[in-house]
Amino acid sequence: MSVVVIHNQSDEGRSALEAGIREAESRGAELVVVHALSGSPDARAQAQELAAVETAVHALAPDARVEAALPDPDATSTLLTLVDKVDAELVVIGSRHRSAVGKFLMGQTVQRLLLEIPVEILLVKSR
């Protein structure tokens, strides 16, 4: 079993990663970080983005496994596919502070993930 962190290069992504590290340690589970690449058609840009993600993740969690893919047809579907690919017991997602209306109408990506991920989910607010 694994703890999966939905990652992006943001404060929300870092908060999710930090919480995911704690959860994986407390559960004795593998930490898997999934990241939907930006979708650049340039192979060199893709490689640079992946290297930046791996560097950021491994700075905090050297043993974490990083799974990344180009969005096809969209980033949310890609993330759902990556989560399905690993044996997850928990998925950790970061979220940013929102206004009252924003909280009610949560971002489409996070909302879809919350509704469609078939395992336990931990939503972490960034600081």
Side-chain angles (χ1 to χ4, degrees), residues 82-102:
L82 289 170
V83 166
D84 192 45
K85 180 179 166 184
V86 299
D87 188 21
E89 66 181 270
L90 173 70
V91 175
V92 183
I93 302 171
S95 180
R96 65 179 174 262
H97 176 75
R98 299 178 185 276
S99 67
V101 172

Side-chain angles (χ1 to χ4, degrees), residues 18-34:
E18 291 169 352
I21 292 167
R22 289 190 302 273
E23 286 293 327
E25 288 173 355
S26 73
R27 295 168 184 252
E30 176 186 25
L31 179 64
V32 180
V33 178
V34 298

